[in-house]
Amino acid sequence: MSATELPLSSEQIKANRNSKMTFTEWQVEDKRFYALLAVIGLFVLAAAIAFFYVEHYGHYVTGMNNQVVWGMPHVFAIFLIVAASGAANIGSLGTVFNKKEYQPLGRLSLVTAMALLLGGLAVLVLDLGHADRLIIAMTYYNFKSIFAWNIILYNGFLVIMAVYLWSMMDRRKWANEFYKPAGYLGFIWRFILTTGTGSIFGFLVARQYYDAAILAPLFIVASYVFGTAVFTLALVFLHKFSGKELGQSIQNRLRYTLALFIALVLFFELIRHATNLYATEHHGVEAYILSGGDKITWLFWVGQILLGSLLPLVLIWLPSLRNSQKALLSAAALAIFGGFSQLYVIIIGGQLYPVVLFPNATVESTFSDGEIATYSATLPEMVLGVGGVALSLLLIVVAVKVLRLLPERLFDE
Amino acid sequence: MPPMIHSFIALLLAVMMVGCDSNPPELMAATKVFETEQETKLHIAEMRTDHMHLLNHKRDETMYSGIRTAKHSLNACIDCHVPMPTAQKVVRHTDAEHFCATCHIEVAVKLDCFQCHADRPALKTAEVAK
Amino acid sequence: MSNLIDRYRRKFLGGLGITAGAVTLAPGILLREVQAKPDDEAVTNKVRWGMLIDTNKLPDGGDGMVAACKKEHGWGDDPHSSPTQQSQWVRKVTFKDKLTKHETSLPVMCQHCETAPCVDVCPTGASFKRADGIVLVDKHICIGCRYCMMACPYKARSFVHEKLENQKPHSPRGIGTVESCTLCVHKIDKGEQPACIEAAPPKAAVFGDLNDPESTISKALAKHGAQQIRADLGLNTGVRYWGI
Ligand code: SF4
Ligand code: SF4
């Protein structure tokens, strides 16, 4: 279906021509589109099967236990939720900061954000011990709980983004009046949302590795990295897959946004670990994460720092790679890998370290006191997590196919 | 608002029961009987339409306020309506003849109570039987 | 700083428990002390249940108490769950001071915190504190998110990882929900004592009303004080110990 088939009033056509941006559906051959849909759909289907499997047998078929109570599904879910907030940044840049270059990408940015959030929430919800009681989560609220707040924040995010998107797409004048307010509200909401997500961990006094207010700003800067990286990959993919040209200047902008926030995350991580090392009570857990020698230490140094942060920075700033799309794509992919490593270290690593009941004493018990626990994700957990990513992609791909989200031309003037 | 949901579900059930030809299936006999025919009839009428409502109300009273009278207590229902397990036979909620299951299977309403609650009386014999 | 002082105080009091041989808990009079509440009467906050455990009087370090809890509530032998997936309502913890090398064992269960982190974080309100201070999970509205398990500093909560059968009528437990020590609320409501207290060696553990200055537990606490695990968190726990 092409744009010209749609009945447009002459007035609208004029409006389109006059405005600087025109948008189209994703122009991709049907065959290729459905093939893509089928591939992504398979992953979603696999996740559905994984869900029913765990639902049927119970969580004993996962690697999670009573010491490591949150596992791989939560790593995926939190990645997607945090990335959602960052993906909407492109929209904010256009609306709130009035950056003209980003405005053509606003629609795609918001849709990506909504899709990521939905994917993440799906994983989070499907991992519940009682996913069938979702109605209870929506009707019983304990307002002291950050989780309960987050339910409101997530729902609110979807509503605001939907209104925001509508105000971008509807050409009627009164719809346009919502554009700025929705943009500003969305911008603020994103901050609150990521703060809320970081606070899920930040307020936990029980585990030594959490309980730090800095987790909230860390999550905020990390959201920019995850979101920009995912958005970059999605944008390039959508263009390549339909054989459309993508301008260099926009890619360069994304490149520098990515680099800036990777550097900021590194900076916040430095502060976080330095303050932890300063407080004696956190020495144990810091030593475990930074030099404990098991999977977590490797993931931190090699996964998050080396491959996930330093290498992308090099790829972005090496002069010889300045205009290389491959370098940008690799940097984005590595940043995503780094993000997963980071969340794995925080979420899983923080739980592997024992709860401290008696400082100044060596502790033992029949149930992982005083010793590092073990965790490895089982297949259903992995499949569920990957399914969340697939669901997000599915939503993006379908949305760009049926809605006019992509700018007609995105090459350099 | 939760009670609203519950009454809604109860209503739904009632409607379904009335809607289908309303002769319920044959149920297993209770171990105790009321003194008068009148009481029995009242009990049946009340429970057919309202048992979930009453159970939910009681459950919150017990859970939050520690009120543990026998009236409308799930354990008390079970004690009277489900036979005592013996070495030969244990009636479980997964069996069609189980008092609760009979109707719930008939109207295809999932029974969640017994994910947690005991589905048969617990006296010494119950321990022996398992 | 205040942390440190707390720790010294704890140690000091711990010492007190050991040296003052005369300090004993007298469970003899307890059965009459815990009044049976009429079945149809709601619990009130006039009462706050608590218990005091003297670790010096537990030759087995609490194994007997743990076993009694398992028997009462039927946890710990779920057929499919791995050892770390099994429920652990109460566990024996042994710790050895790094300096003095003194070794102590104690049973650790839900401490029935006054300001309970698990209650604060629970999104649906399934984790709640009863008026009389007992912290429970309302499994009817627990969605199994496990946030309370992340929040509990004592690792006192367990998630049921599989379908169960043959639960005890007085202690419902089931798949996909979180559970922890109920302080044997079903027994307390009948005027009985928690199973672990009944199973403890003589004079090793006492259960009672912390709000009643005349109760054995209050008198013992007023006279000799007692320690909380992780007192630095300020949770004002209902379970107190001597000798830690
Ligand atoms: S010990 Fe843990 S489970 Fe018990 S009340 Fe305190 S925080 Fe909650
Ligand atoms: S697992 Fe259940 S009790 Fe615990 S926080 Fe979640 S809903 Fe509340």
Side-chain angles (χ1 to χ4, degrees), chain C:
Chain C
M1 191 61 201
S2 70
N3 239 343
L4 249 160
I5 293 173
D6 260 6
R7 253 175 246 161
Y8 285 133
R9 191 183 297 140
R10 255 189 289 164
K11 289 273 178 289
F12 173 68
L13 286 169
L16 188 76
I18 299 163
T19 48
V23 179
T24 51
L25 302 170
I29 48 164
L30 285 174
L31 288 173
R32 265 157 284 133
E33 198 178 281
V34 178
Q35 292 290 324
K37 156 185 90 58
D39 272 348
D40 58 352
E41 203 172 88
V43 292
T44 69
N45 59 7
K46 292 203 188 74
V47 180
R48 183 180 178 205
W49 297 119
M51 55 185 173
L52 173 57
I53 298 166
D54 185 349
T55 59
N56 296 301
K57 298 226 158 43
L58 289 175
D60 64 356
D63 280 333
M65 295 172 76
V66 174
C69 179
K70 275 193 177 185
K71 182 152 176 275
E72 180 70 22
H73 297 280
W75 55 264
D77 293 308
D78 303 343
H80 300 290
S81 298
S82 73
T84 44
Q85 287 172 335
Q86 293 290 350
S87 290
Q88 303 267 351
W89 289 26
V90 49
R91 65 193 192 277
K92 179 172 118 177
V93 174
T94 305
F95 71 96
K96 189 178 187 181
D97 190 280
K98 277 182 188 149
L99 183 73
T100 63
K101 308 285 180 231
H102 180 68
E103 205 173 85
T104 313
S105 291
L106 68 161
V108 175
M109 68 293 275
C110 169
Q111 306 284 300
H112 298 279
C113 312
E114 189 188 21
T115 46
C118 59
V119 174
D120 285 349
V121 302
C122 175
T124 65
S127 291
F128 71 101
K129 193 173 60 162
R130 225 169 67 146
D132 54 4
I134 304 175
V135 176
L136 297 170
V137 179
D138 180 355
K139 288 163 197 161
H140 306 102
I141 58 170
C142 170
I143 55 174
C145 67
R146 285 102 84 200
Y147 197 18
C148 54
M149 300 176 71
M150 292 289 277
C152 172
Y154 305 97
K155 216 170 67 181
R157 299 205 145 191
S158 309
F159 180 67
V160 179
H161 286 75
E162 61 182 292
K163 282 186 189 138
L164 300 180
E165 277 180 350
N166 298 323
Q167 293 96 323
K168 316 269 176 191
H170 57 257
S171 185
R173 36 188 310 263
I175 184 172
T177 59
V178 164
E179 55 185 18
S180 59
C181 156
T182 63
L183 216 58
C184 285
V185 64
H186 62 291
K187 298 183 71 164
I188 294 177
D189 284 345
K190 280 191 290 187
E192 296 170 16
Q193 307 209 21
C196 59
I197 300 278
E198 286 174 347
K203 300 180 181 170
V206 57
F207 165 84
D209 180 4
L210 300 169
N211 282 350
D212 172 8
E214 294 306 313
S215 66
T216 311
I217 187 169
S218 297
K219 282 189 191 152
L221 289 172
K223 191 153 176 212
H224 304 289
Q227 299 90 60
Q228 308 176 51
I229 307 174
R230 290 297 306 269
D232 58 313
L233 297 173
L235 302 175
N236 192 12
T237 56
V239 178
R240 303 286 172 117
Y241 297 86
W242 280 352
I244 61 169

